[in-house]
């Protein structure tokens, strides 16, 4: 899981620091904030893989932030684990109904939290048992940062690796250049949309050496799609 970035939103400093320690010990990259407003700022500047969100936050509550994010196209597929001392069944149901992917009740053990993160990430398709993504004979190993076709390594840049990781995690969906810039480069970086085209052309050239250039398809007027179907 060392390639995953987690956003922790917890207003109690002691719990926030404990969460950071537990997650970093599991080789996860962590961004930690104390309010919904700070979470919004972090999401604007960073591409994260999962949010651990405390239910009771000052101002906008965690459950309300989760509801809003799950209703926004750019974040509706972002996994959220609600963290709270509220253990009543009705509260759990409410949290899951607004779109939260899991629910952890305080107090909890570090092992339980890490296990739940792994389970949520597997369900979202961002983590396999082996840490690998495979489409046909194309395999991406996130832990070793390797991309191979039929066991042969492909020479790609770090940006091209992230682009392939995003495509392989989200196959058969059309993404605009703007969406790809947000997800792969990050919202805080200003890059022209044609930069996406440059990296797509390079990836196709690399894949063409193995007869796989059709994996990345252009959808005229919309953007790009990664798919095994022609």
């Amino acid at each position: 899981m060392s390639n995953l970035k987690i956003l922790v939103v917890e207003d109690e400093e002691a719990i926030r620091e404990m969460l950071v320690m537990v997650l970093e010990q599991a080789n996860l990259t962590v961004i930690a904030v104390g309010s919904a407003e700070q979470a919004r700022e972090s999401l604007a500047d960073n591409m994260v893989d999962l949010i651990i969100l405390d239910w009771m936050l000052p101002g906008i509550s965690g459950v309300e932030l989760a509801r809003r994010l799950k209703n926004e196209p750019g974040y509706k597929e972002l996994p959220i684990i609600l963290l709270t001392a509220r253990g009543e069944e009705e509260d759990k149901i409410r949290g899951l109904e607004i779109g939260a992917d899991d629910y952890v009740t305080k107090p909890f053990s570090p092992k339980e939290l890490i296990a739940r993160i792994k389970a949520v990430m597997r369900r979202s398709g961002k983590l396999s048992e082996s840490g690998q993504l495979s489409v046909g004979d194309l395999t991406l190993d996130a832990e070793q940062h390797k991309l191979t076709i039929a066991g042969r390594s492909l020479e790609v840049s770090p940006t091209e690796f992230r682009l392939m990781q995003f495509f392989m995690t989200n196959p058969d969906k059309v993404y605009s250049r703007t969406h790809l810039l947000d997800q792969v480069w990050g919202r805080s970086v200003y890059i022209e949309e044609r930069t996406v085209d440059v990296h797509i052309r390079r990836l196709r050239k690399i894949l063409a050496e193995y007869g796989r250039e059709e994996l990345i398809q252009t959808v005229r007027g919309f953007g790009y799609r990664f798919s095994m179907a022609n």
Side-chain angles (χ1 to χ4, degrees):
M1 296 201 300
S2 59
N3 60 310
L4 299 180
K5 182 180 288 185
I6 310 295
L7 174 61
V8 171
V9 190
E10 166 62 64
D11 63 311
E12 293 187 38
E13 185 176 359
I15 296 177
R16 188 168 65 243
E17 291 177 353
M18 180 271 291
L19 287 167
V20 171
M21 181 183 68
V22 167
L23 297 173
E24 288 182 344
Q25 286 177 346
N27 295 318
L28 295 163
T29 301
V30 186
I31 301 170
V33 299
S35 69
E37 291 80 8
Q38 291 173 347
R40 281 290 193 180
E41 293 174 3
S42 293
L43 288 170
D45 294 335
N46 299 277
M47 183 176 68
V48 302
D49 298 291
L50 179 142
I51 302 177
I52 296 176
L53 180 58
D54 185 40
W55 183 299
M56 298 296 291
L57 292 172
I60 299 171
S61 69
V63 72
E64 174 60 18
L65 176 61
R67 187 192 66 79
R68 294 182 186 182
L69 290 174
K70 289 297 185 177
N71 280 298
E72 295 179 21
Y75 297 114
K76 65 180 180 180
E77 296 183 8
L78 178 61
I80 296 174
I81 295 177
L82 280 174
L83 181 66
T84 178
R86 303 167 70 103
E88 292 82 1
E89 184 177 1
E90 288 186 5
D91 290 329
K92 292 181 180 180
I93 292 172
R94 181 186 173 200
L96 296 173
E97 283 181 342
I98 57 93
D101 297 85
D102 205 349
Y103 193 107
V104 178
T105 304
K106 303 173 186 176
F108 57 87
S109 73
K111 286 184 179 180
E112 177 193 5
L113 179 61
I114 297 301
R116 288 183 179 273
I117 290 172
K118 288 182 177 179
V120 168
M121 297 310 294
R122 280 196 294 270
R123 290 198 299 271
S124 71
K126 293 187 176 183
L127 180 70
S128 69
E129 292 291 345
S130 62
Q132 295 182 345
L133 294 169
S134 295
V135 176
D137 58 0
L138 177 67
T139 300
L140 184 145
D141 190 322
E143 295 291 333
Q144 307 230 352
H145 214 270
K146 287 177 60 177
L147 185 65
T148 61
I149 289 181
R152 292 170 289 182
S153 294
L154 307 184
E155 294 295 327
V156 296
S157 70
T159 298
E160 290 153 2
F161 184 89
R162 292 196 303 273
L163 186 57
M164 282 300 296
Q165 185 174 25
F166 178 78
F167 275 139
M168 292 176 71
T169 304
N170 303 278
D172 301 311
K173 298 178 183 178
V174 180
Y175 291 100
S176 67
R177 292 169 179 82
T178 300
H179 192 93
L180 290 171
L181 283 172
D182 286 347
Q183 294 297 314
V184 177
W185 281 263
R187 293 180 176 83
S188 64
V189 180
Y190 175 75
I191 298 176
E192 294 184 1
E193 289 188 358
R194 64 182 179 179
T195 301
V196 175
D197 301 328
V198 171
H199 286 282
I200 292 290
R201 284 198 297 270
R202 171 158 164 77
L203 279 174
R204 281 180 173 156
K205 183 177 179 181
I206 294 170
L207 292 170
E209 297 177 13
Y210 301 88
R212 304 289 190 281
E213 66 272 20
E214 77 285 351
L215 287 173
I216 301 177
Q217 302 163 7
T218 300
V219 180
R220 292 192 180 277
F222 292 96
Y224 295 102
R225 171 176 57 213
F226 181 86
S227 178
M228 291 287 288
N230 292 323

